[in-house]
Amino acid sequence: METSSNPSVFLLTVNGQIEGANFPDYDSLYCKYCYVYGHDWAPTTGLEEGITQITSKSTQSHRLIWNFPLEITFKSTNPSGWPQLVVSVYGPDVFGNDVVRGYGATHIPFTPGQHTRTIPMFVPEPTWRLQKFTGWLLGRRPEYTDPKVVAQGEGREVTRVRSQGFVTVSFHIMTKDMKKMGYDAGPSSPSAVQSEAQSYVK
Amino acid sequence: EAEGSDEDPGETLRRTFRAQRQRRKKKSKGESLQQQEASEVSAEPVSRLQRLKNRDTVTRFDREQVVKDLPTAEEAFNFFTFNYEPEPPSQQEGTSRKRQKRRERVEKDKGEDSQEEAEVEEDAESEDAPLVRNEDDLFAIDHSPQDFVEMRKAEYVAYRKRVQRDRELLFTPSFRTPTSVKLPENMKPRFLEDEGLYVGERPPVSLTNENILENRILKMSEGNKWFGDDGKVIALPDPIKESSTRPPLFHMEGDLDPALQTVYRKALKSKYANLYIAGAADPEGDYQLDVDVSGLIFSHHPLFSREHVLASRLAQLYDQHLSRQHNNLTGHLTDKLNGLRNALRNMMKIHGEQGSSEALRQRISEYSLEVNTRQLRDTEQEKDRTLLRSVIKVWKEIKALREFQKFTNTPFKLYLRENVDRASDERDYEGEILAEVLELEAESEGEYQKKLAEYKKQLEDWKLWRRKQKKKKKKKGLAQEDTEEEDQDQDESESEGPFEEGPAKPQPPERPDVDSMEQWVREKASRIRRKPGEAILIPELSASGSITASELCPAEIARREDVSRRSLFIKILYNDKEVSRTDSRSLSADFRVHFGQIFNLKIINCPHSINLQVFEEVGSSCSLLAQVFVPVPDPSVVTGSAPIEEFEFSSNQRVMFDHEGVGVPLSFESDGSNRLTLLTSGKLSCCVSWGIGEEGVPLAPPVSQQPGGTHGRWHLDAVSYIGASGLYDMKKIGEWATQSRLDPNDPKNTSIMQLVASSGEVTAPDYFRLEHLQEEFNFVTDEELERSKRFRLLRLRNQEAPEFRNYKFVPLLEREVSDKVFQDYEKRLKDGEIIDTREHLDPHRALVAKYLQKIRESVINRFILAKHFYQLSDLVTEEEIPSIRILGINLFKLAESKRPLKPQRKERKKVTAQNLSDGDIKLLINVIRAHNIPIRKPLGQSALQGSDWYLSQVQVRPFVEVSFQRTVLQTTTADGPNPSWNEELQLPFAPNGDYSTSSLQSVKDEVFINIFDEVLYETGPGGKERGTSIHTQIEKHWLGSVKIPFSTVYSQSKIDGAFKVNTPAVLLGYSREHGGSSSVYDQWRSTHGGTFLRLFLTIEPQLVPGESVREKQFDSQEDERLLQAAEKFEKEAAQGFPDRPCITTVTDLSGKTVFITRYVRPLNPPQEFLDAFPNNPQEATVARFVSLIPSLPDQVSFSGTCDLWSTCDQFLTLLAGDEEEHAVLLCNYFLFLGKRAWLVIGTAIPEQGTTVYVLTHEQSGYFIWNPSSGQFYNKDDAFCPLQTVGCLVNADNVWYNVQENPSPLNTNFDITKSNMWKPFFSRSFSHPGLSSVQPEELVYRPVDRAAAAELQDVEKILKEKIMEWRPRHPTRWNRYCNTTLKQFLPKLEQSRGQDVAEGHRLELQNLLGDYRIAGFPLHLPFSEIRPIIEAVHSTGVHNIHSANVEFALAVYVHPYPNNVLSVWVYLASLVRT
């Protein structure tokens, strides 16, 4: 084991949950998640991928609640390729076919502390109108070959997407040895509260 | 009243109040606590109001009404119980109006007096009392739903009230904020602009927005920091430039007349103009003339007033005076004079009068001559004095003029300073005069002496002459007369003139008159010099006087206005061409114009003239005033060292004005005596010099280039540019900047201020940088960055260098990066040149291997590049638009039975590589059955005994062994030559932990499927157990093998078919002839076909095969039209018959797309073949030659599913290639041999997937050649490995098979039939005459027997290996057998492995006697040693463990031209029986 005074990796622990989503038009959705990270990262413990239960909207609230826990620890030597959480939401369409309802990704927050992220979701658009129709009819919407595509910038220019809804994820981040390695992610400042600009004027 | 529902005012009040509070609470969530408090405070009056409002009946207004007709109890009862039908609207209206009024009133009354309020309340109670009493009963009577629903009027709050209320709640940020709020306490706003500092222009923001912003900021914490000292929001200067930096784009195409289209012509250099080229070393040398036009001063201008004329005259005179003073010629001359005098005096003193030698006298006279500098001095002095006098005179005139006209027009003032020391002055003056008189005396004395001497001489002469005369007279005779005469002579010499007769009697010279001389000197002195005691006048001209303002001198106004209208500019003409012009500057009142512009002229032409034209502008018209020809400077005159010169100019224009302006020409008497005619004139100060390039090189043409006559005329004083630094004098600029007090905030001055900064120490950087702050951002120097191992690692990984492409966990710290990491990489880089021959025995092949490696790398790099280009299909999976047919099928499917009787294979779900882990992937091999396995031959002599033996004897007990990645599995043993196993074998697959597509693609491992015969031998058990037990020993004899590369399985995802087993030409102890079978078909098949093994291979789970690199992305040199046609052709073909391959364009080794027909061209096979078999059919030979070139699938070599087609010469150099290279070479050979041959693109069984065969047409029919094996099949052969025929290719065209059945058996190869073959080039798109990419001729290296002999070492290596594989058993080699086997091999090579009968075995049997022999020759094309070893290992010969086994091994390498080697390995095991 390495001595704690002389570490060669730093650790990033992510606890949190996929709290829920806001898809106004759809119901009975489930969510898949996975992480995308660079070469210098490796998960040490925890689930790298997961799939949530199917949840339906209640009559009171229009939110979809999953409350699906996330728990993973990464070790890394290089902040480049910081892990990203990729979520994709699926659900049945009119005919009962399982179709994708949204893709989205967010970086795991850098700073220790609690964070909430609202991930805007989108789906790729069919190239043709006709394809849109047949896709709707046959229940085969365009999908990304790999959901991890949304975590990278390369090649996205060839796609067209439509925005679709939001997924809310909360994170509790812990890091170890980051500062020792010379990476100062800064304190999680409570200054966010301050920025509540008094919006008197509409 | 309609207030029936108003049950309890208090209750309502409470309710409304609550609701209001709730509402407010909601609203106030975002508001500060303070405001909430405020609202609560304000709620108090509001509530009271509410109360009042709800109690409708209680207002004074109503009361009056009530008083007027107070309802009785009955009326009231009626009123409440009566069910009114539709309420009269008028009443409602009335009430509402009433209410409104009331409300207004309430507002008015609010806070007016509490007394009234109290009264009101009292009234209310009294009003309500009777109603309330009955209330319960009333409601009990009729409970309509309305009773429970509270009906209320929409709340209306009067506008003013609302405004008032809003004011309390809302914050309107658009009001003006006072400055004091925005500044810290006790601070006054400070306006930098007023202090003269540059603050820049603020970007325009509307006042409202600014107010909003300011108010918002003020509410923020630390809001004050946003305000500057002037109480305004801090803002950067407006960054928007007034003019756009990008010129507007005009789209010309489209709406332009085609006739007006611009045509691009390359710019041509005019040879005529380019005079520098002649003789100049570098014609490209750029020369630069810097023309600095600093300004101009008019010495006369038509707009001069009279005073100006005088003033300019004064200035001129003063300038003259100054320059004279500066030169101080008088002083110089005086000094010189004094020096000479001293020298003369000294000389006299030393030598005295007497000892004056001739030389000395000479010197003295010279000095005396020098002394006439006195006269020079005198003239100078005179000039000085007149100048001074005229200065004073002009000044007096000016004064008089000013006095006269009562205003001043020029700022000039002349001061005369006096400087007098009377005593010394007098002394000097007298001394000077005395000295001069003395000198003059001495001079005249000397003159006199000289004259006297001359006179004497003349007199002598004269006397002599006279004497002669007298002698003549003497003859007449008077001696007395003689003496008399002499005396007379003496007299005459004193007084009388010359003699009239003969030579005149010389006159004695006159004595100089000292007195008159002195007189003259004094006169002169008084004229040219100051009188003693007179003040030394030193004039000082200053321009400090004030000019009378225009208002005070009405006469002047017109002139001055005219002046202000004038402006001037200067055109610069270079070689009579205008190259530039200065800005137009207005003429100042003192008739000076400052331009201060420097023009850099980049010149090509030889400079002939530089002309500055002065133009004067009045309004919009401009006229040429004057031209100034500036000489072309010397090449040595460079910018920075050249001083600014003043050039005078004048114009002959005639202008007269009706105002005070004097006009031109002006006749002018400066001092009464001489008349001057003044023309417009002035001085232009400018400087022309050669520019300085980098490193201080002057951008001047070489000196030898003598440009023209103007050149040598003008030379600068050498002294003036000694010490020229060659660069701009930065120090001076710095001084100037500090002196002129530049505004440091003005962005225009930033560059200068930067220079001036840092304590005035001005250093100019001698370089230019675009990002001059770059260094500040570098946290480490470039060298250090280069040295960093970690950074290097990261960089290499980013570049996707093969060693680091998937490198994980780059250590965080520099020290943790070990140097070992780079070793491989560096070694590879280093090995690029060094060829390691150890692995390859054969240096040529080593070379080729390196070359192949290089190509691979370049292609891989290309792929890596191409991989980063994405198409939609790479990212998004999308359903194709289904055609009606597919839709119909889908509909039909719904009606399908759930469990069909003949189930079809379902597509498995493909698994992407990232979901895999070790052990997940398995290779499934279904060994179904085999046909026609060789059977054992009876042992010994007893073998040939007929059918009873045959029946009793086991023919063969074959089993299949599969080995992959050193995992070996085998099936059960079956019986007979046509066994059926139907067994599934699962082999684990471990691609070293890397499941990425690229790594899977590059797995080179092959699946070896070997058929063995299990042979049981009874070995005699030793000793006493002989009777009771049997020991059997199992031996396995290799019968044949099938090799399938993993890459094929991976790319095809499943392989299904009957594979031809690669059996050795000779199998000792086995025969193919199935003795027992009598069927003709079997007979035919056994001789013809060989052994077949039916297999099904796949990978579980199904992996996504690597994405095919889109070849279309490669660039091409083909015509675009051809490429489009090819794409269309392929697309149509794929639509029509998706299972038939069609190839029209291929990728060559450089990664370019090439049309396929370019590969086909007749090429010569090695000459040896043609010579060796002149009559024989040579096809078989060349086919064998081709098949001997090792096969190397492109997928393996180029780790991507991309076929690269190399040309034949490349192929022969590389000596490795895919089937297409083999096919192309074979086809080209056949064409050379005069056959009709085509490439067949189709699918075949062993290759699985698109492959290329060769089709030939002979008399006897069509033949299909397998280029990799060299075997040929008749078109009708059922065992032909070719399964489908996609298209045919020859040099002219590509034909696509559009026949019903694509199998060669059913294909008609008559390509002329267009209903069967669709040609690529047709009448509509004819063959464009594509040239071949193949060379014209192939050059072969001759057979290298020495290399072949060297390769015989393989034998030794193999023997060592076999011994190594048998670690626990002794390996004995039967030498005798070895040599025998060796003899067989060349024969085998000659017969190409065919037609060898059972000779070997019999021969061996005869030789060896009682040995059980099992053996076979292996034949391999040579590429490396490793495959040979693998092949030997896979036969499992070494696994025979019986005690008395002996081995025999022989290797024969047969060389073919071009280093193609055929390797034979004969292996045999011998067991003594």
Side-chain angles (χ1 to χ4, degrees), chain A:
Chain A
M1 277 314 287
E2 284 134 30
T3 56
S4 61
S5 63
N6 196 11
S8 66
V9 291
F10 61 84
L11 297 176
L12 172 73
T13 302
V14 182
N15 289 307
Q17 54 182 356
I18 303 175
E19 289 182 340
N22 187 11
F23 282 89
D25 297 341
Y26 309 118
D27 200 358
S28 304
L29 302 180
Y30 64 94
C31 178
K32 282 207 261 189
Y33 78 88
C34 57
Y35 294 97
V36 174
Y37 41 83
H39 286 297
D40 299 326
W41 289 77
T44 51
T45 60
L47 287 175
E48 258 194 90
E49 302 185 291
I51 188 160
T52 68
Q53 74 277 17
I54 296 175
T55 185
S56 302
K57 288 171 185 169
S58 76
T59 46
Q60 273 88 31
S61 156
H62 289 291
R63 275 183 65 80
L64 296 150
I65 304 295
W66 286 305
N67 280 352
F68 190 82
L70 304 172
E71 191 166 0
I72 192 164
T73 303
F74 291 100
K75 67 173 178 183
S76 170
T77 58
N78 196 350
S80 166
W82 196 276
Q84 278 171 286
L85 178 76
V86 173
V87 287
S88 42
V89 176
Y90 301 85
D93 68 353
V94 191
F95 303 106
N97 295 307
D98 210 25
V99 296
V100 68
R101 291 306 188 193
Y103 294 102
T106 183
H107 272 102
I108 304 288
F110 296 107
T111 52
Q114 195 200 335
H115 305 267
T116 305
R117 294 278 183 272
T118 303
I119 310 169
M121 307 292 277
F122 55 86
V123 285
E125 274 279 272
T127 34
W128 293 5
R129 281 264 164 86
L130 181 62
Q131 244 160 339
K132 192 169 186 174
F133 172 71
T134 54
W136 174 80
L137 200 67
L138 297 172
R140 291 191 189 140
R141 313 285 168 91
E143 286 182 25
Y144 281 122
T145 48
D146 184 353
K148 291 178 180 177
V149 163
V150 299
Q152 70 202 29
E154 205 174 58
R156 294 268 286 274
E157 72 276 7
V158 298
T159 62
R160 291 188 305 161
V161 298
R162 170 192 295 275
S163 47
Q164 202 82 350
F166 298 94
V167 167
T168 315
V169 187
S170 66
F171 296 103
H172 301 268
I173 305 298
M174 273 189 285
T175 57
K176 179 175 182 287
D177 292 338
M178 282 267 282
K179 270 208 172 150
K180 269 185 204 158
M181 310 303 243
Y183 298 114
D184 192 353
S188 72
S189 65
S191 65
V193 188
Q194 184 215 331
S195 71
E196 202 175 276
Q198 294 115 334
S199 54
Y200 303 106
V201 187
K202 293 278 151 2

Side-chain angles (χ1 to χ4, degrees), chain A residues 6 8 39-40 42 75 77-78 126-128 131 140 142-146 149 154-155 158 181 183 201, chain B residues 171 173 221 790 794 797 807-810 812 815-816 868 870-872 874-879 881 914:
Chain A
N6 196 11
S8 66
H39 286 297
D40 299 326
K75 67 173 178 183
T77 58
N78 196 350
T127 34
W128 293 5
Q131 244 160 339
R140 291 191 189 140
E143 286 182 25
Y144 281 122
T145 48
D146 184 353
V149 163
E154 205 174 58
V158 298
M181 310 303 243
Y183 298 114
V201 187
Chain B
F171 171 69
S221 63
R790 179 168 187 264
L794 288 170
R797 185 173 70 181
Y807 194 88
K808 301 227 159 141
F809 277 101
V810 173
L812 186 59
R815 57 182 147 81
E816 286 170 8
H868 290 280
Y870 287 90
Q871 284 185 353
L872 183 65
D874 299 332
L875 289 178
V876 178
T877 47
E878 195 174 16
E879 273 298 288
I881 294 181
Q914 63 265 13

Side-chain angles (χ1 to χ4, degrees), chain B residues 322-340:
Chain B
L322 281 188
S323 68
R324 287 193 72 84
Q325 201 115 71
H326 181 70
N327 289 346
N328 200 12
L329 265 178
T330 326
H332 278 304
L333 290 170
T334 315
D335 288 350
K336 192 176 173 185
L337 199 61
N338 288 336
L340 283 171

